[in-house]
Amino acid sequence: MSHFRRLEDMHVEGKTVLVRVDFNVPVQEGVISDDTRLRAALPSLDWLRERGARVVLLSHFGRPKGHRIADMSLAPVAPALAGLLGEPVAFADDCIGAVAQKAVAALSPGAVLLLENTRFHSGEATNDVDFATQLAALGDIFVNDAFSCTHRAHASTEKLARLLPSCAGLALARELDHLDQALGHPRHPVLAVVGGAKVSTKIDLLKNLVSRVDILCVGGGMANTFLHAMGKPVGASLCEADLADTARQIMDNAAAASCTLLLPVDVVVAQKFAAHAPHRTCGLDEVAEAEMILDAGPHSVAALNKAIDGAQTVIWNGPLGAFELEPFDAATVAAARHCAHRTKTAGLVSVAGGGDTVAALNAAGVAADFSFVSTAGGAFLEWMEGKSLPGLEALKS
Ligand code: AMP
């Protein structure tokens, strides 16, 4: 996905530009608790304002499913964004119709307007052409700057891009360039690290990766299903026994594609799924009936670190153990730190993404040292699965 139109290709001077952002920010008691997504929009907004464009922002917030729900209004976001921009941000109580038209008409060059939640209209989620046409009537150009929303074929992410001259914003383009470096056109050898709870949620991802990477490290709860498929005892561990055939198929696909599969060679087990539960490290044949595998052992981490040393590119999704519970975060933290170290000292390209992955890298204190960390959940996974993302397809040149 490297051939898409970019902001730099557009003539925005004096135009009204509709920008799709992801302002679906966490709010606690009316206060935005994490403004990362607002900050992500600033480069495009500054770029447009410097060129005298009138900027109209579109976003969803929550899942109101076509209804007006007061708690899901974007109104509190306008003053927060104004604080970051250092400029007033106007707000319109609807994203289409007379209210929106009047607010857009009142904009002077360089001014910014935030429209109300697109999902207050049912036409958003159904990708309705009439709704998208009403959005398109508000501007001259469409800029999508929300990678996290590109896996959805919604009116403000897909149809609208086909109704106006459209391009990727600066944040979206930056994200796509990094993702392309990791999986589209990476430097080999490429190592993929895939952890997390279940194989069932990542079958497509594993199947896609074995044909595209040189080494695939499977960790976390999902590795237990592979160990079970290999005839190893997994005791009371999280394990999807019904997916043993799927695990075997993925192992066969890996062998056929000359992809080395890296599974745990030792494990940390406990009888309780709790922080600081009494635990021990053991070999794969030594897990007792009552024990749960909660982390990878030190020999497994050493093998992964060696693979990281040999890799030019690492792509990472999912923790290697129950990382929320100390000390079962040890393998994830150690490998993440090693990956960050190689990124800083040896030119390794390291790209990570997915909700729990970001939390795990933050807990290890290394998120800033990876080449790129994507905060997009569903879109990042679908991209890793090799699926085409409707919001991106609509921007292809
Ligand atoms: P996912 O959303 O699929 O990336 O899964 C992340 C979750 O997997 C985290 O909440 C981890 O605690 C959990 N997890 C990872 N390894 C294990 C394990 N060995 N046993 C139980 N849960 C695990």
Side-chain angles (χ1 to χ4, degrees):
M1 183 60 214
S2 46
H3 305 293
F4 51 89
R5 289 180 298 271
R6 293 171 185 257
L7 203 46
E8 297 90 332
D9 302 331
M10 313 300 276
H11 298 288
V12 303
E13 288 77 6
K15 302 275 172 62
T16 300
V17 181
L18 304 181
V19 185
R20 178 57 160 98
V21 287
D22 183 356
F23 285 173
N24 190 26
V25 289
V27 175
Q28 276 156 11
E29 289 168 15
V31 179
I32 296 169
S33 56
D34 181 348
D35 64 4
T36 308
R37 286 179 164 170
L38 304 189
R39 290 179 188 277
L42 297 179
S44 285
L45 302 191
D46 287 341
W47 194 94
L48 289 165
R49 294 182 56 245
E50 280 162 16
R51 285 159 182 78
R54 296 169 172 83
V55 181
V56 179
L57 300 171
L58 297 166
S59 179
H60 73 283
F61 186 79
R63 295 189 172 177
K65 299 189 175 164
H67 301 289
R68 227 170 220 284
I69 296 179
D71 280 354
M72 295 182 192
S73 170
L74 278 167
V77 173
L81 180 65
L84 293 173
L85 265 181
E87 291 289 333
V89 172
F91 181 75
D93 200 22
D94 202 349
C95 64
I96 53 169
V99 173
Q101 286 159 12
K102 201 172 154 203
V104 171
L107 286 176
S108 47
V112 180
L113 164 69
L114 174 63
L115 301 180
E116 183 57 285
N117 194 345
T118 51
R119 288 191 188 165
F120 281 0
H121 293 270
S122 58
E124 166 70 336
T126 57
N127 204 11
D128 178 63
V129 68
D130 291 335
F131 175 64
T133 302
Q134 292 187 67
L135 292 175
L138 299 172
D140 308 303
I141 291 172
F142 173 66
V143 176
N144 190 340
D145 214 16
F147 176 71
S148 51
C149 306
T150 53
H151 60 312
R152 308 219 182 266
H154 285 182
S156 70
T157 59
E158 202 275 341
K159 195 71 77 197
L160 180 54
R162 300 195 183 275
L163 297 175
L164 287 177
S166 59
C167 69
L170 298 179
L172 175 56
R174 180 169 174 265
E175 183 135 13
L176 294 178
D177 288 341
H178 277 102
L179 299 186
D180 192 58
Q181 240 193 337
L183 209 52
H185 300 89
R187 286 197 322 228
H188 287 265
V190 182
L191 162 67
V193 180
V194 180
K198 293 180 170 182
V199 172
S200 53
T201 59
K202 295 188 185 172
I203 294 173
D204 289 343
L205 187 149
L206 293 170
K207 285 187 174 165
N208 183 42
L209 289 179
V210 290
S211 66
R212 297 179 67 173
V213 306
D214 304 289
I215 306 179
L216 172 62
C217 171
V218 177
M222 59 198 294
N224 301 340
T225 302
F226 282 79
L227 298 179
H228 167 73
M230 290 160 57
K232 301 290 180 193
V234 295
S237 303
L238 177 66
C239 173
E240 294 168 290
D242 54 327
L243 289 183
D245 283 342
T246 304
R248 278 189 282 268
Q249 199 191 349
I250 290 166
M251 289 191 262
D252 290 346
N253 291 358
S258 302
C259 168
T260 305
L261 201 57
L262 213 56
L263 285 161
V265 290
D266 59 347
V267 288
V268 180
V269 295
Q271 297 201 6
K272 274 206 286 185
F273 188 80
H276 306 292
H279 56 278
R280 67 185 186 104
T281 301
C282 67
L284 297 183
D285 294 314
E286 296 156 20
V287 180
E289 276 292 286
E291 288 177 324
M292 279 176 280
I293 300 170
L294 293 183
D295 201 9
H299 293 298
S300 309
V301 174
L304 174 53
N305 285 352
K306 201 169 155 210
I308 291 170
D309 287 340
Q312 296 273 351
T313 306
V314 171
I315 173 153
W316 190 322
N317 172 264
L320 302 175
F323 78 100
E324 302 94 334
L325 312 173
E326 279 185 30
F328 308 111
D329 59 342
T332 305
V333 168
R337 288 194 177 148
H338 191 67
C339 198
H341 173 71
R342 292 291 296 176
T343 306
K344 279 200 289 190
T345 60
L348 174 71
V349 172
S350 53
V351 173
D356 272 319
T357 314
V358 181
L361 297 187
N362 279 329
V366 296
D369 295 327
F370 271 57
S371 308
F372 188 73
V373 177
S374 172
T375 53
F380 185 84
L381 283 180
E382 290 198 21
W383 166 79
M384 259 181 110
E385 288 166 0
K387 295 189 176 148
S388 73
L389 307 179
L392 296 184
E393 290 302 313
L395 301 177
K396 276 189 179 166
S397 48

